Amino acid sequence: GGYVGFANLPNQVYRKSVKRGFEFTLMVVGESGLGKSTLINSLFLTDLYSKDYPGPSQRIKKTVQVEQSKVLIKEGGVQLTLTIVDTPGFGDAVDNSNCWQPVINYIDSKFEDFLNAESRVNRRQMPDNRVHCCLYFIAPSGHGLKPLDIEFMKRLHDKVNVIPLIAKADTLTPEECQLFKKQIMKEIQEHKIKIYEFPDTEDDEDSKLIRKIKEKMPLAVVGSNVVIEVNGRKVRGRQYPWGVAEVENGEHCDFTVLRNMLIRTHMQDLKDVTNNVHYENYRSKKLAAVTCNGVDATKNKGQLTKSPLAQMEEERREHVMKMKKMETEMEQVFEMKVKEKKQKLKDSEAELERRHEQMKKNLEAQYKELEEKRHQFEEEKANWETQQRILEQQKLDASKTMEKNKKKGKIF
Amino acid sequence: MSEIVPPEVRPKPVVPAKPSHVAPHSSGPFVPSPQGTGGEGRGSALLGYIGIDTIIEQMRKKTMKTGFDFNIMVVGQSGLGKSTLVNTLFKSQVSRRTTSWSRDEKIPKTVEIKSVSHVIEEGGVKMKLTVVDTPGFGDQINNENCWEPISKYINEQYEKFLKEEVNIARKKRIPDTRVHCCLYFISPTGHSLRQLDIEFMKHLSRVVNIIPVIAKSDTLTLDEKTEFKQRVRKELEACGIECYPQKEFDEDMEDKSDNDKIREAMPFAVVGSDKEYQVNGKRVLGRKTAWGVVEVENPNHCEFSLLRDFMIRSHLQDLKEVTHNIHYETYRAKRLNDNGASGGNRKNTD
């Protein structure tokens, strides 16, 4: 034969994926003060948590919350939408019974969303918000797992990829760390906890690498984004009076192993296992519950037992409802606007009234003033007239007397 | 194990706890020394040397002969290095060591009280040290009221002592099992106190002397340490928790200034270890990591030596006195009042 060319398929897939961008949801669980926020900042070389937006431990919670933060990371043309899911308040109360329930609810709700989206007729946009990996932080007691650790992992190993980590590992000497790791793995096996397992490969090199990682489980990590100078090199680490614990030094802690595994080699596998194993578990359990009962006991919207027509009917109904809702909303907005306008008009009317009154008053005042002035003027006029009359009279009298005098004096 | 009696604890002795000023055998016996330490209040000139000041020496000799006992309780979640610290404090294996944690010793379902006694000797002075451990504290998923067994234990010891005291035919030396000091281990989260820490200290600071320490402090950098300590102190103040040394019991200005200095430095950030390493030609107690050796007794590395000096070298006697004169008396007054109120003898219902 000749060259067909499908060997180029991986490249095509690669190019398409790069164009689409990637999504990854990472959940971090552990008591407060175990360095979770610092580790996230270190892993992704960002300040997802900073003084302005402090990590979960700085925000005191009375009950367990589940919060998510999204960050967009771009590197070499590849775009990753990273969602970090926090669980502030986990294990911090005096009574921590069922503190895992909010976490389980969150994971289930994301599965449910995906299940619904998958069952729709219109599946153009299907965001994958399922939790792909859960980093569980173990306190570095040096002894073993706490009852809370065991309980949590037992309840979640069927729902999400659990990767246990030893937090603040710079508190343990190398010997203590070894013993601790062995003890933890022993207890994990005893309690039949299924932590994330690395897939076997045929590639020799890869399997060597994987075996090395498996030996180091659980990974003992230290986080820091503070850069310190050590022997002329600049490294990220924690400065103590007795030395610098370097974050990226394989002899000091397993941070690089975690980072490489989580981001550089196994991110896709984590997503695949989530999709193929955990999600399928959820899905089959959910659907089995429905078909078992015959009557729909759950309030699940997108059921696969319905025919596509029924599904379409359902969607149409949803759409109609949505439209109705929008209509009512618009009506409400319209009403509100009308009310506002009415109010405004009323206000301006009142304002005009007021001004009218004001002007009237002004006019009246002026009128009065003028009246006063006229009155005064009239008075003056009257006075003057009287005065004139008096003068006239006087003049008349004077002329009369003169006449008299003239008459009297005419003899001469 | 010798019968031990707390030396002249009630009332507060007039002579200082530290026999620093040892009796002057050497000073001229005929020098009229107008010392007048508590006896005749007038600083009258003595006509000859009487020898009152040798009482210090007599007390010292007696203490050395009878020895004394000290009971310390350690409280904290498992894995905070309590046993290691106690071993380091008393430089001997006095506590059950759990580094080789075999899961046969499972975390107990409720808080247990386990006490271990040893007699250690130094400079001719014998001390019967009892370490009371509280495994299971704070380790469960639901830790409601996990301080109750501890509170019960402390009150039981007071009750035992009270019963002995109240007896008609009293023992010559009443064995003292009361807890003189409670070291509370705070987890070095670097953020703030846990709810459990606050609850415990609230309930017990009025019953026993609590000294909080920051455990495994080699996990904090210097800045983190200072910040954490400040925050812890603020929180304790805000909750009205008074740790030892309590402000209200400072007797004079000297006491106050000494204790103020200590209160400023509390809680002590400690690291414990019983392994020795070679550092700069010296053998030091420490923890060896890949990036350096944490020296336990180096004040630049951690405050272990501060804690040790404070607890053992200067305030050991004071711890016992406060326990006896204040905590015990409070308990006694309450019990006798209750008894009086109900009229007649009542069985111990604690």
Side-chain angles (χ1 to χ4, degrees):
Chain A
Y3 172 67
V4 177
F6 58 78
N8 202 28
L9 191 60
N11 283 344
Q12 296 179 24
V13 172
Y14 166 76
R15 272 204 297 270
K16 276 232 158 123
S17 317
V18 170
K19 235 185 357 161
R20 258 197 301 246
F22 296 90
E23 297 167 305
F24 191 71
T25 303
L26 177 68
M27 178 181 263
V28 279
V29 183
E31 297 170 344
S32 70
L34 285 182
K36 301 186 294 290
S37 317
T38 315
L39 189 74
I40 295 293
N41 283 352
S42 311
L43 270 175
F44 297 101
L45 286 175
T46 71
D47 274 328
L48 195 65
Y49 300 111
S50 58
K51 283 227 184 291
D52 303 321
Y53 179 60
S57 296
Q58 307 273 22
R59 296 173 265 136
I60 313 215
K61 300 281 180 197
K62 284 280 157 111
T63 56
V64 182
Q65 313 283 322
V66 182
E67 302 177 347
Q68 65 178 41
S69 2
K70 276 199 205 279
V71 68
L72 192 64
I73 305 181
K74 281 202 186 134
E75 198 182 55
V78 178
Q79 186 172 287
L80 172 71
T81 309
L82 175 71
T83 309
I84 305 284
V85 182
D86 269 326
T87 52
F90 180 85
D92 287 336
V94 177
D95 180 0
N96 292 310
S97 316
N98 292 325
C99 65
W100 46 80
Q101 199 57 46
V103 177
I104 293 183
N105 292 346
Y106 179 87
I107 296 178
D108 279 345
S109 78
K110 294 299 165 196
F111 279 157
E112 168 132 356
D113 289 345
F114 195 81
L115 181 61
N116 289 342
E118 214 184 32
S119 322
R120 294 174 87 79
V121 172
N122 177 1
R123 296 203 291 201
R124 215 168 315 141
Q125 277 187 341
M126 229 169 44
D128 185 0
N129 286 324
R130 299 171 292 186
V131 180
H132 301 119
C133 174
C134 174
L135 295 177
Y136 186 74
F137 286 69
I138 300 171
S141 67
H143 287 313
L145 291 176
K146 293 207 191 120
L148 180 61
D149 302 335
I150 297 173
E151 198 59 40
F152 179 86
M153 288 200 277
K154 263 165 93 170
R155 285 170 187 271
L156 264 93
H157 63 171
D158 279 331
K159 294 191 175 281
V160 70
N161 296 319
V162 174
I163 298 184
L165 299 174
I166 298 178
K168 294 196 167 176
D170 53 350
T171 215
L172 299 164
T173 64
E175 301 87 32
E176 291 168 349
C177 197
Q178 277 300 99
L179 282 170
F180 192 36
K181 285 185 180 186
K182 262 211 224 121
Q183 181 62 33
I184 292 179
M185 290 313 282
K186 193 166 106 171
E187 290 183 29
I188 284 181
Q189 273 167 15
E190 267 175 24
H191 291 272
K192 301 211 186 32
I193 296 172
K194 292 178 263 177
I195 56 176
Y196 173 68
E197 273 191 28
F198 297 87
D200 294 317
T201 60
E202 285 129 15
D203 191 309
D204 270 345
E205 269 193 40
D206 274 356
S207 56
K208 248 204 284 184
L209 181 72
I210 288 180
R211 232 177 306 134
K212 277 219 312 229
I213 298 179
K214 283 199 181 175
E215 279 168 22
K216 289 191 187 216
M217 293 284 276
L219 300 173
V221 292
V222 174
S224 170
N225 268 343
V226 177
V227 179
I228 303 173
E229 185 140 344
V230 173
N231 296 338
R233 303 175 291 136
K234 285 205 188 280
V235 289
R236 286 192 290 156
R238 289 173 61 72
Q239 171 94 56
Y240 294 109
W242 49 88
V244 175
E246 297 171 39
V247 165
E248 284 165 310
N249 184 334
E251 312 248 317
H252 290 190
C253 71
D254 300 327
F255 173 81
T256 19
V257 177
L258 174 69
R259 183 197 51 203
N260 291 348
M261 183 267 284
L262 193 61
I263 303 176
R264 296 182 190 176
T265 53
H266 286 80
M267 191 178 255
Q268 188 55 41
D269 185 65
L270 283 165
K271 290 175 75 168
D272 288 342
V273 174
T274 307
N275 188 44
N276 301 340
V277 178
H278 298 297
Y279 173 66
E280 289 300 316
N281 274 342
Y282 173 84
R283 185 173 170 278
S284 48
K285 268 198 229 148
K286 199 73 196 268
L287 298 182
V290 169
T291 53
C292 242
N293 292 342
V295 174
D296 176 16
T298 66
K299 290 196 226 121
N300 197 1
K301 282 184 280 186
Q303 290 184 53
L304 294 172
T305 48
K306 281 208 191 131
S307 67
L309 276 162
Q311 182 68 11
M312 256 169 67
E313 183 60 36
E314 173 90 39
E315 282 181 22
R316 196 187 68 85
R317 246 182 292 143
E318 262 183 51
H319 188 77
V320 166
M321 268 180 37
K322 210 161 87 167
M323 289 286 115
K324 267 227 181 91
K325 201 165 110 175
M326 273 172 66
E327 203 183 318
T328 36
E329 271 177 23
M330 276 172 66
E331 273 189 38
Q332 277 180 2
V333 171
F334 180 70
E335 292 263 337
M336 207 175 62
K337 287 225 161 104
V338 166
K339 234 187 5 190
E340 266 182 43
K341 192 74 182 190
K342 270 203 186 145
Q343 185 67 20
K344 245 194 208 124
L345 286 171
K346 248 214 301 219
D347 286 342
S348 56
E349 194 184 331
E351 178 71 21
L352 281 170
E353 280 269 349
R354 199 179 60 79
R355 269 208 246 142
H356 179 75
E357 283 291 326
Q358 187 76 12
M359 283 211 315
K360 228 167 74 172
K361 273 214 194 96
N362 278 354
L363 276 169
E364 283 190 11
Q366 275 188 15
Y367 190 69
K368 258 210 197 121
E369 228 183 281
L370 282 169
E371 277 286 326
E372 282 259 342
K373 280 208 179 130
R374 188 149 81 126
H375 189 70
Q376 252 185 0
F377 171 72
E378 297 275 337
E379 263 190 40
E380 273 188 40
K381 189 161 134 192
N383 279 350
W384 187 79
E385 281 190 2
T386 8
Q387 272 198 358
Q388 284 299 105
R389 253 184 280 133
I390 292 178
L391 272 170
E392 286 258 355
Q393 193 67 25
Q394 279 183 353
K395 235 186 9 194
L396 214 55
D397 285 344
S399 70
K400 266 205 193 132
T401 23
M402 246 187 65
E403 283 283 336
K404 258 204 224 151
N405 283 349
K406 238 171 129 181
K407 271 194 192 150
K408 278 194 195 152
K410 227 161 179 187
I411 304 180
F412 301 130
Chain B
M1 220 96 76
S2 50
E3 288 262 63
I4 308 127
V5 64
E8 201 63 293
V9 163
R10 186 188 9 142
K12 208 158 166 67
V14 189
V15 291
K18 273 189 290 187
S20 49
H21 166 65
V22 174
H25 326 274
S26 38
S27 74
F30 298 111
V31 174
S33 30
Q35 281 181 340
T37 44
E40 285 57 64
R42 276 174 276 134
S44 50
L46 299 170
L47 298 174
Y49 175 66
I50 302 177
I52 301 176
D53 50 7
T54 56
I55 188 153
I56 301 177
E57 181 62 10
Q58 295 174 30
M59 287 192 66
R60 212 170 75 85
K61 280 212 190 113
K62 200 135 210 201
T63 312
M64 279 176 64
K65 214 167 42 146
T66 57
F68 63 102
D69 46 15
F70 187 65
N71 307 323
I72 175 174
M73 176 182 263
V74 280
V75 183
Q77 293 181 308
S78 78
L80 285 182
K82 303 188 292 286
S83 317
T84 315
L85 187 75
V86 174
N87 288 348
T88 320
L89 268 175
F90 296 102
K91 287 243 172 80
S92 41
Q93 300 266 3
V94 287
S95 185
R96 334 166 292 134
R97 288 265 272 135
T98 46
T99 42
S100 52
W101 185 275
S102 53
R103 262 314 172 172
D104 309 325
E105 302 185 44
K106 286 194 191 292
I107 293 183
K109 288 283 165 162
T110 56
V111 180
E112 296 178 348
I113 311 274
K114 294 205 171 138
S115 75
V116 177
S117 296
H118 296 264
V119 175
I120 46 187
E121 181 168 335
E122 188 184 63
V125 178
K126 279 207 214 86
M127 172 162 91
K128 175 167 171 248
L129 172 71
T130 307
V131 178
V132 182
D133 200 354
T134 53
F137 178 84
D139 288 331
Q140 309 307 320
I141 295 179
N142 182 353
N143 293 309
E144 288 281 328
N145 298 328
C146 62
W147 51 81
E148 271 178 9
I150 299 174
S151 179
K152 199 164 94 129
Y153 175 82
I154 294 176
N155 285 334
E156 274 170 11
Q157 308 316 307
Y158 287 152
E159 184 68 23
K160 256 195 234 166
F161 198 85
L162 179 64
K163 279 230 179 96
E164 286 299 331
E165 243 192 0
V166 160
N167 250 341
I168 299 176
R170 289 208 280 225
K171 285 208 200 123
K172 219 164 62 157
R173 289 161 223 149
I174 307 178
D176 189 359
T177 54
R178 300 168 296 185
V179 177
H180 299 125
C181 166
C182 175
L183 280 180
Y184 187 77
F185 285 70
I186 298 173
S187 184
T189 60
H191 290 305
S192 58
L193 286 177
R194 290 205 149 116
Q195 202 49 37
L196 182 62
D197 301 338
I198 298 178
E199 289 294 309
F200 176 85
M201 289 199 266
K202 258 203 198 149
H203 282 91
L204 273 107
S205 59
R206 301 243 157 243
V207 173
V208 70
N209 295 322
I210 296 188
I211 298 182
V213 292
I214 299 177
K216 293 198 167 176
S217 68
D218 56 345
T219 208
L220 299 166
T221 61
L222 285 177
D223 294 328
E224 292 168 351
K225 227 189 278 194
T226 347
E227 263 189 58
F228 187 42
K229 276 200 203 190
Q230 265 183 357
R231 239 174 281 158
V232 170
R233 272 204 298 272
K234 254 203 250 167
E235 275 196 74
L236 289 176
E237 228 184 276
C239 297
I241 297 172
E242 270 245 66
C243 301
Y244 180 84
Q246 295 93 334
K247 286 207 185 121
E248 33 185 350
F249 308 143
D250 285 338
E251 293 196 345
D252 50 31
M253 288 312 293
E254 203 189 309
D255 259 0
K256 191 161 134 59
S257 72
D258 283 340
N259 287 348
D260 272 344
K261 270 198 230 120
I262 292 176
R263 282 189 280 256
E264 281 299 301
M266 279 175 87
F268 295 115
V270 295
V271 175
S273 168
D274 46 9
K275 294 208 178 69
E276 289 192 336
Y277 295 97
Q278 202 65 349
V279 172
N280 296 337
K282 285 194 298 151
R283 287 199 67 78
V284 287
L285 273 181
R287 289 170 60 72
K288 184 156 192 207
T289 60
W291 47 91
V293 175
V294 187
E295 297 170 39
V296 166
E297 282 168 317
N298 182 337
N300 292 333
H301 288 191
C302 77
E303 292 166 356
F304 169 78
S305 21
L306 272 182
L307 174 72
R308 180 201 49 206
D309 293 344
F310 163 65
M311 242 181 73
I312 299 178
R313 295 183 188 175
S314 57
H315 284 68
L316 193 64
Q317 182 61 19
D318 189 55
L319 278 165
K320 294 177 61 156
E321 283 172 13
V322 173
T323 308
H324 180 78
N325 294 341
I326 299 186
H327 296 302
Y328 171 67
E329 288 299 314
T330 315
Y331 177 82
R332 180 173 173 276
K334 206 159 62 108
R335 284 287 283 136
L336 295 185
N337 269 339
D338 287 347
N339 261 355
S342 65
N345 254 351
R346 210 167 33 141
K347 254 182 96 154
N348 178 13
T349 48
D350 260 44

